[in-house]
Amino acid sequence: MKISLKWLSEYVEVPSDVQAFCDRLDLTGTGVEGVERLGDAFDHIVTGRVISKDAHPDSDHMWVCQVDVGEANLGADGAPEPLQIVCGAKNVEAGQHVAVSLIGTMLPSGLEIKPAKLRGVESFGMICSATELGLAKTNDGIMVLDSSIGELVLGKELREYEIFNDDLIEIELTANRGDCLSILGIARD
């Protein structure tokens, strides 16, 4: 089971030294298998806004999108330029704020984002779903961002948002520790 330290800190005081906290949990009999820094997985993944969505000329299920990523993509004149991204998600729409993997991004799955030509149309990035970012599946399609994560700033890396900058502790639960099957149970420990 994975526990968010931010959620846990709403119930108990969590020390800034994560390893010391994990050692304390181990002493209670709650085995800690590992700690994952969530923000580390979001390198070069930025907030973007879909400007336009047009049908792909050679596909009935892909879209050619123009995506504004602010300062993350500057033209020769130093002004922000939109990226052309080919997307196959059914739920992509103009006006949405989305997570965009830039060229050179290494996704948690090991996929490196490179310039590509999809059925003859160039694509310079990827609009990501939650699962492509290593998060839990929230819907079928891309992950749409809203103000619940904070002020949406075009080009801002996801790891700079507090919600994506968290430590996840993986806990080994044994059959006799049913009391630890929730964040409140871990907080009691």
Side-chain angles (χ1 to χ4, degrees), residues 15-111:
S16 59
D17 183 1
V18 176
Q19 189 56 50
F21 180 72
C22 291
D23 292 342
R24 282 179 39 199
L25 271 177
D26 273 335
L27 290 174
T28 67
T30 306
V32 176
E33 290 190 356
V35 178
E36 177 184 345
R37 183 90 185 135
L38 189 59
D40 292 345
F42 300 129
D43 194 27
H44 297 312
I45 300 172
V46 300
T47 304
R49 185 175 52 80
V50 179
I51 299 170
S52 66
K53 167 188 147 180
D54 298 311
H56 190 291
D58 271 344
S59 174
D60 59 351
H61 68 277
M62 290 198 292
W63 309 99
V64 180
C65 300
Q66 297 298 318
V67 182
D68 184 358
V69 292
E71 302 289 321
N73 187 48
L74 299 177
D77 61 354
E81 289 186 355
L83 291 173
Q84 177 171 290
I85 298 176
V86 176
C87 180
K90 295 177 184 178
N91 67 330
V92 68
E93 294 295 336
Q96 291 174 328
H97 283 84
V98 293
V100 178
S101 293
L102 302 173
I103 301 298
T105 301
M106 184 67 74
L107 293 175
S109 66
L111 174 69

Side-chain angles (χ1 to χ4, degrees), residues 97-99 128-130 133 135 138-139 141-145 158 164:
H97 283 84
V98 293
C128 297
S129 70
L133 296 176
L135 302 171
T138 55
N139 62 5
I142 60 165
M143 182 172 70
V144 179
L145 305 175
L158 287 189
F164 294 115

